[in-house]
Amino acid sequence: RRPPRSTPSNSSAASDVYKRQEYENIEYVEALRRLADRYGIRIEWEKSDDDFQKGETALLYEIHEIARDYFVTQLNSEKGQKARDYLLSRGFDQSVLGHFSVGFAPDQWDGLIKVFDPKKFTPKILEKSGLFIRKDGRFLDRFRNRIMFPICNVSGRIVAFGGRTMDEKEPAKYLNSPETPIYFKSGTLYGLEHSKTAIQKEKEAVIVEGYTDFIRFYDAGIRNVVAGSGTALNFHHARLLKRFTTRTVLCYDGDNAGQKAAERVGFMLIKEGFDVQVIRLPEQDDPDSFLQKNGAEAFKTLKAESPMFINYYIDRSREELKTSASKARFVEDLVWEISEVNNPVVRDFIVKEVADQLQLKEERIQSQIRNLYRRKRSGTDENRRDSVPTLQISTVTEKAEFEL
């Protein structure tokens, strides 16, 4: 039970808990649990109607801890030799792999399931863990012949796994745990339990896509980094990250697919109130390969030269903006995105930047935004994204360009 802040008898203890809660940005109960563990204090929890649910949750956490230990053991066994050699060839040494508890799931159907005591872990709990597939009345390992990356919540508890295949013929390069009672994909950022303190210190988060991207950056001394966790970044991730910073740097793959992903995430982040900078890597590189070839200093130089998101987005599209009609279409798409920025001050700054970049009058863009708001309120623009854009054509030349 949360103690009142003002009672003299518990003010010192409560203060310690609140300090840890605020410093680490964790829930009150988790802060209390960590302090108790540190000082060897036994907590007597009050009974409640959801005790069974708490017991189930504890078992799910335990299953993942057992699985982590199993995967790590397998990576360091004869069965994990190929995976171990692959990781070492990528420049990840044993200390790094150990720090992040990277493991290996052997190519067999019953390797992990045999570890669990059926008297303690019921079929219901095993199924809810997401680590197994139930077929013909028996459980089979979900992850096979894969390098395993534990995924933790912000408090550091393992809630899921991501697996990278060692079979070149396997169509699914990465396989991730399904959502479970302890794993909400959209509410989990890979590595945040390691990097949250650095993010608070730097007042900025570098966002990358993959598990190895994160590990490479962290190992290179760039500690204020996070990655997605089995799903594309969305507003749930943004609101989690906002507990630690409102400044972000997107560092995605240099190819077209990676840059498209950066555009989507960038718009989402500015709508959630973030400052967003975008690093454009060489087309052949991903964050991992760039850092491995060029080092942390080269990355920092590239970051210092990288534009804010709106400038980046316009620069990437500039080749397509050769005509008045193409600019009109571009502005209409951009207006749709800008209109969803909730903070009017931020929205005005973005409008000014767009106007300067495209040599347009600010009032013209603001007028487009007001028109869009009116259409939304009247319900005439609900399916705008699925329809042909409505252009404002004011000259004969623009009409001809549009028809061509």
Side-chain angles (χ1 to χ4, degrees):
R1 176 178 294 174
R2 178 190 287 262
R5 286 183 182 262
S6 57
T7 54
S9 60
N10 58 34
S11 59
S12 177
S15 175
D16 288 343
V17 177
Y18 287 120
K19 285 177 183 176
R20 179 160 290 274
Q21 180 187 7
E22 290 166 5
Y23 179 74
E24 297 195 28
N25 271 280
I26 56 179
E27 298 300 324
Y28 179 85
V29 172
E30 183 62 27
L32 186 65
R33 193 193 309 274
R34 289 191 184 189
L35 283 172
D37 289 344
R38 171 171 291 187
Y39 296 109
I41 299 171
R42 181 172 174 269
I43 301 175
E44 293 185 5
W45 302 102
E46 291 184 351
K47 297 291 183 180
S48 65
D49 293 336
D50 63 347
D51 274 350
F52 176 77
Q53 184 66 34
K54 288 179 181 176
E56 182 179 90
T57 300
L59 285 173
L60 289 172
Y61 282 132
E62 186 176 352
I63 285 174
H64 282 79
E65 289 169 0
I66 292 170
R68 183 260 327 269
D69 294 342
Y70 169 79
F71 293 140
V72 169
T73 299
Q74 294 303 310
L75 180 64
N76 292 297
S77 71
E78 186 177 344
K79 291 179 181 178
Q81 184 67 53
K82 182 180 177 182
R84 197 164 63 250
D85 290 344
Y86 168 79
L87 289 166
L88 293 173
S89 71
R90 292 281 301 273
F92 299 112
D93 61 31
Q94 289 286 3
S95 64
V96 173
L97 299 177
H99 182 76
F100 294 102
S101 298
V102 179
F104 177 67
D107 191 12
Q108 59 189 91
W109 291 98
D110 60 352
L112 179 61
I113 188 63
K114 290 191 297 188
V115 174
F116 293 97
D117 180 358
K119 294 179 181 178
K120 181 175 183 179
F121 299 100
T122 65
K124 182 181 178 181
I125 291 292
L126 292 172
E127 190 165 16
K128 282 189 175 185
S129 73
L131 298 179
F132 307 101
I133 301 168
R134 197 166 192 172
K135 187 175 181 180
D136 299 329
R138 58 192 289 251
F139 285 106
L140 305 174
D141 291 1
R142 180 180 296 275
F143 297 98
R144 300 175 304 281
N145 196 24
R146 290 180 181 271
I147 295 170
M148 302 299 291
F149 300 90
I151 298 169
C152 298
N153 61 22
V154 72
S155 300
R157 305 296 299 273
I158 302 172
V159 295
F161 288 90
R164 194 253 189 225
T165 186
M166 289 299 296
D167 183 356
E168 294 180 0
K169 297 179 182 179
E170 170 62 51
K173 183 177 179 180
Y174 281 93
L175 178 67
N176 298 285
S177 293
E179 291 198 341
T180 69
I182 62 172
Y183 179 44
F184 176 43
K185 286 185 180 183
S186 294
T188 308
L189 287 166
Y190 180 74
L192 185 57
E193 75 280 9
H194 294 287
S195 62
K196 60 189 178 184
T197 301
I199 289 171
Q200 287 176 307
K201 181 180 178 182
E202 299 291 334
K203 299 179 181 179
E204 181 180 80
V206 177
I207 301 176
V208 294
E209 284 191 278
Y211 307 127
T212 55
D213 295 335
F214 172 89
I215 294 174
R216 179 75 65 196
F217 272 60
Y218 197 91
D219 186 45
I222 303 169
R223 302 289 170 88
N224 57 321
V225 59
V226 291
S229 162
T231 186
L233 259 67
N234 56 47
F235 72 92
H236 291 293
H237 294 116
R239 290 171 189 178
L240 171 62
L241 190 58
K242 194 178 279 190
R243 290 164 56 181
F244 305 94
T245 186
T246 55
R247 285 172 49 198
T248 55
V249 180
L250 297 179
C251 186
Y252 281 19
D253 292 359
D255 60 15
N256 188 58
Q259 297 306 295
K260 284 286 187 184
E263 288 181 8
R264 185 194 63 77
V265 173
F267 276 122
M268 181 273 295
L269 288 171
I270 64 172
K271 291 171 191 177
E272 290 296 322
F274 284 82
D275 290 325
V276 184
Q277 188 180 356
V278 185
I279 292 175
R280 192 165 185 178
L281 297 177
E283 188 173 354
Q284 71 276 11
D285 276 326
D286 56 35
D288 178 7
S289 65
F290 179 85
L291 207 59
Q292 189 175 19
K293 288 188 294 187
N294 302 286
E297 290 306 314
F299 170 80
K300 291 175 183 177
T301 299
L302 190 61
K303 174 180 171 294
E305 298 169 350
S306 295
M308 299 304 289
F309 175 72
I310 290 297
N311 294 336
Y312 158 83
Y313 180 70
I314 293 173
D315 287 344
R316 227 177 86 80
S317 307
R318 204 173 289 280
E319 285 298 313
E320 303 168 10
L321 307 180
K322 298 295 188 183
T323 66
S324 299
S326 63
K327 287 182 180 180
R329 289 192 295 272
F330 178 79
V331 170
E332 182 162 289
D333 284 338
L334 194 52
V335 161
W336 180 276
E337 300 287 0
I338 296 171
S339 71
E340 296 181 348
V341 175
N342 293 323
N343 188 318
V345 176
V346 174
R347 191 167 60 239
D348 285 349
F349 276 118
I350 294 173
V351 167
K352 185 179 187 306
E353 190 63 45
V354 171
D356 290 344
Q357 287 280 333
L358 297 180
Q359 299 180 339
L360 297 171
K361 293 180 179 179
E362 287 184 48
E363 177 52 34
R364 187 64 58 85
I365 300 173
Q366 295 285 14
S367 176
Q368 292 264 49
I369 293 173
R370 289 193 294 271
N371 288 337
L372 181 57
Y373 284 155
R374 283 195 291 270
R375 296 204 304 270
K376 284 182 177 180
R377 283 196 297 270
S378 65
T380 60
D381 214 60
E382 288 183 358
N383 298 318
R384 175 240 177 250
R385 288 266 163 154
D386 300 320
S387 62
V388 177
T390 302
L391 302 179
Q392 293 187 355
I393 298 175
S394 57
T395 69
V396 174
T397 302
E398 288 177 357
K399 183 176 185 297
E401 288 172 346
F402 176 65
E403 289 176 350
L404 283 171

